[in-house]
Amino acid sequence: MKILVTGSKGMVGKALVAQLKNIRDGKNQTRPDIQVETIFEYDIDSTQEELEVACQSADFVFNLAGVNRPENNEEFMTGNFGFASTLLDTLKKYDNKATIMLSSSIQATLSGRFGTSEYGKSKLAGEELFFNYAEETGAKVAVYRFPNLMGHSKPNYNSAVSTFCYSVANDLDFTVNDTATELELLYIDDLIEGLFDLIEGQEQRCNFDGIEVIPDSNGRFAYIPATHHVTLGEIVSLLESFKEQPVTLMMPKIPEGSFAKKLFSLYLTYLPKEKFKYALKMNVDNRGSFTELVHTKDCGQVSINISKPGITKGQHWHASKWEQFIVVSGHGLIQERNMETGEMVEFEVSGDKIEAIYMIPGWTHNIINLSDTENLVTVMTCNEIFDPNRPDTYFEEVKK
């Protein structure tokens, strides 16, 4: 398949081209039904000759080109409607009936606060141009009215989320006029997956009632349902918690598919290079060291324990707390004794064969470095963050 992407240097265009190249080169194998042979990249600095070449042979066209921050309102119509007309005329010139996608905007509804939007008017004109083109040529057209998009873009431009991410990551002041203002946001990765659905002929269809999406398998418009409705206050609160994570070690809840997970990934792309790493507090003594790595709100914590040669650590039990010891380097012995029955178990552990061992509530336990020369390195997970006021940790030697 030969694919033309206009607006290839914009936020969506760059992300789409990158993933198309991954598919073409066999690096992304999640879409085996999509075979990419050639990608034509067209942007504002491309020539008409390049557009002609692409329109002659493209099997699929993504029209992402457009203007959203012109110096004057007249440029909206020129940039959005004008180029769309040029593109369609060029396809017609070569009798190319390739499927074509149009990136429009929810502002094209001209509903509510968008009622006087010159940008929306230019997008609406482009939509009608595409629908007329479909009727005239019989080509398949997919018009998407995108909500606010959420991806790595220039801050202080046309994305509040990008501006907030950049400001928080770089310790800059910013203003939120109304924390209760709600945005509908579509994350860039979800958008790209939706466009791949379109290539496979599996896109979702809808109509519009004002700005409300009405799902309809025979709808005039295509849409991507994986959007999130969040307030500016919620966005800023999450970003502040992400900023504090290197200090508190607390990892916010980021369940699969959640807005928080997507926002955290986006936030990290705005970190200055000097913040790519951060120090952790190592608790060091003559036995080795113990360092907490990550805290979580509902799954405890993860730590790393280093025991010097011949050292025994632990020698305690917990009433309810449980742990896992995972030796990743060195050679050691884990011992556990049931506090009630006296039953003993032992596990010889090594970084050569990585295994996870539960420290069971009610069993006193230890870990012994059996090497005379090599440190024993153990990843330790625990079902709760250590609370010095309620440590649930009681000294008891495993072998008396």
Side-chain angles (χ1 to χ4, degrees):
M1 178 180 289
K2 298 178 181 179
I3 299 175
L4 167 60
V5 179
T6 73
S8 59
K9 293 183 179 178
M11 181 187 76
V12 178
K14 285 190 293 186
L16 176 60
V17 168
Q19 286 298 344
L20 286 172
K21 288 179 178 179
N22 283 337
I23 291 175
R24 180 196 64 191
D25 299 339
K27 298 175 183 177
N28 181 347
Q29 300 183 10
T30 63
R31 297 281 183 159
D33 293 335
I34 300 177
Q35 302 296 317
V36 179
E37 175 188 347
T38 303
I39 305 166
F40 298 105
E41 300 178 47
Y42 182 91
D43 210 275
I44 193 168
D45 55 355
S46 302
T47 65
Q48 178 63 28
E49 289 71 25
E50 290 173 302
L51 184 62
E52 299 269 347
V53 169
C55 286
Q56 286 184 61
S57 58
D59 303 302
F60 206 103
V61 180
F62 289 101
N63 184 31
L64 307 174
V67 174
N68 52 32
R69 276 292 184 96
E71 292 185 3
N72 57 72
N73 285 339
E74 289 74 20
E75 292 181 43
F76 278 131
M77 196 62 72
T78 302
N80 293 327
F81 177 83
F83 175 75
S85 180
T86 298
L87 173 64
L88 297 181
D89 286 344
T90 308
L91 288 168
K92 284 192 285 187
K93 176 180 177 180
Y94 296 103
D95 194 30
N96 187 341
K97 296 182 175 60
T99 297
I100 182 166
M101 169 267 182
L102 173 65
S103 172
S104 187
S105 167
I106 194 68
Q107 293 193 38
T109 60
L110 300 180
S111 297
R113 61 191 176 94
F114 305 133
T116 59
S117 168
E118 294 299 325
Y119 175 70
K121 292 175 183 177
S122 70
K123 285 296 189 180
L124 180 60
E127 291 178 0
E128 292 305 318
L129 190 68
F130 268 63
F131 289 132
N132 291 337
Y133 171 81
E135 291 183 10
E136 178 184 348
T137 65
K140 178 178 177 179
V141 165
V143 175
Y144 288 81
R145 285 180 170 176
F146 289 132
N148 296 284
L149 301 184
M150 174 181 158
H152 190 90
S153 61
K154 184 166 59 175
N156 302 305
Y157 185 59
N158 65 344
S159 169
V161 177
S162 291
T163 299
F164 295 158
C165 285
Y166 177 81
S167 299
V168 172
N170 290 275
D171 304 313
L172 301 175
D173 292 333
F174 61 94
T175 301
V176 181
N177 293 323
D178 183 358
T179 58
T181 298
E182 185 177 87
L183 299 180
E184 181 182 10
L185 292 163
L186 175 61
Y187 184 53
I188 186 65
D189 285 8
D190 295 326
L191 192 162
I192 299 305
E193 291 301 317
L195 296 185
F196 287 166
D197 288 342
L198 174 63
I199 294 178
E200 294 178 341
Q202 301 178 22
E203 76 278 8
Q204 302 289 311
R205 289 275 171 173
C206 72
N207 290 308
F208 282 87
D209 179 11
I211 62 173
E212 294 297 318
V213 172
I214 310 298
D216 183 343
S217 59
N218 296 311
R220 194 182 195 203
F221 296 88
Y223 82 112
I224 299 169
T227 61
H228 300 272
H229 292 263
V230 291
T231 66
L232 296 181
E234 290 168 336
I235 294 170
V236 171
S237 178
L238 280 170
L239 290 173
E240 294 291 356
S241 72
F242 300 158
K243 181 179 180 177
E244 290 301 310
Q245 192 275 326
V247 178
T248 64
L249 302 184
M250 180 62 70
M251 188 64 66
K253 290 185 179 181
I254 48 173
E256 184 62 31
S258 68
F259 174 77
K261 180 179 180 181
K262 298 167 187 178
L263 184 64
F264 204 166
S265 294
L266 181 60
Y267 164 77
L268 291 176
T269 69
Y270 288 94
L271 281 182
K273 293 186 288 295
E274 59 269 21
K275 287 189 178 183
F276 282 16
K277 72 171 184 176
Y278 57 91
L280 295 168
K281 181 186 176 184
M282 296 180 65
N283 301 288
V284 181
D285 59 24
N286 58 358
R287 302 174 302 158
S289 66
F290 178 80
T291 306
E292 295 178 67
L293 304 180
V294 174
H295 292 175
T296 69
K297 289 183 176 293
D298 53 5
C299 294
Q301 68 181 44
V302 180
S303 309
I304 194 87
N305 184 75
I306 300 176
S307 301
K308 292 182 178 180
I311 290 296
T312 298
K313 286 190 174 183
Q315 306 286 44
H316 59 239
W317 63 281
H318 314 291
S320 293
K321 182 187 299 184
W322 57 261
E323 300 165 301
Q324 280 183 321
F325 289 0
I326 305 167
V327 169
V328 296
S329 180
H331 178 211
L333 179 69
I334 294 173
Q335 299 176 318
E336 299 186 59
R337 173 171 61 85
N338 187 299
M339 292 294 293
E340 182 177 350
T341 68
E343 181 181 0
M344 284 274 300
V345 291
E346 292 186 345
F347 305 95
E348 193 167 346
V349 289
S350 168
D352 295 331
K353 183 183 179 183
I354 296 178
E355 300 172 301
I357 314 296
Y358 277 116
M359 302 301 109
I360 308 299
W363 292 62
T364 186
H365 51 269
N366 63 26
I367 183 167
I368 306 167
N369 188 345
L370 297 178
S371 173
D372 295 328
T373 59
E374 185 181 12
N375 284 341
L376 182 68
V377 182
T378 308
V379 175
M380 296 181 171
T381 67
C382 182
N383 68 320
E384 61 185 44
I385 298 170
F386 179 74
D387 180 355
N389 296 316
R390 299 189 62 183
D392 188 14
T393 301
Y394 312 99
F395 176 78
E396 180 76 22
E397 292 186 0
V398 177
K399 286 190 172 182
K400 295 184 177 180

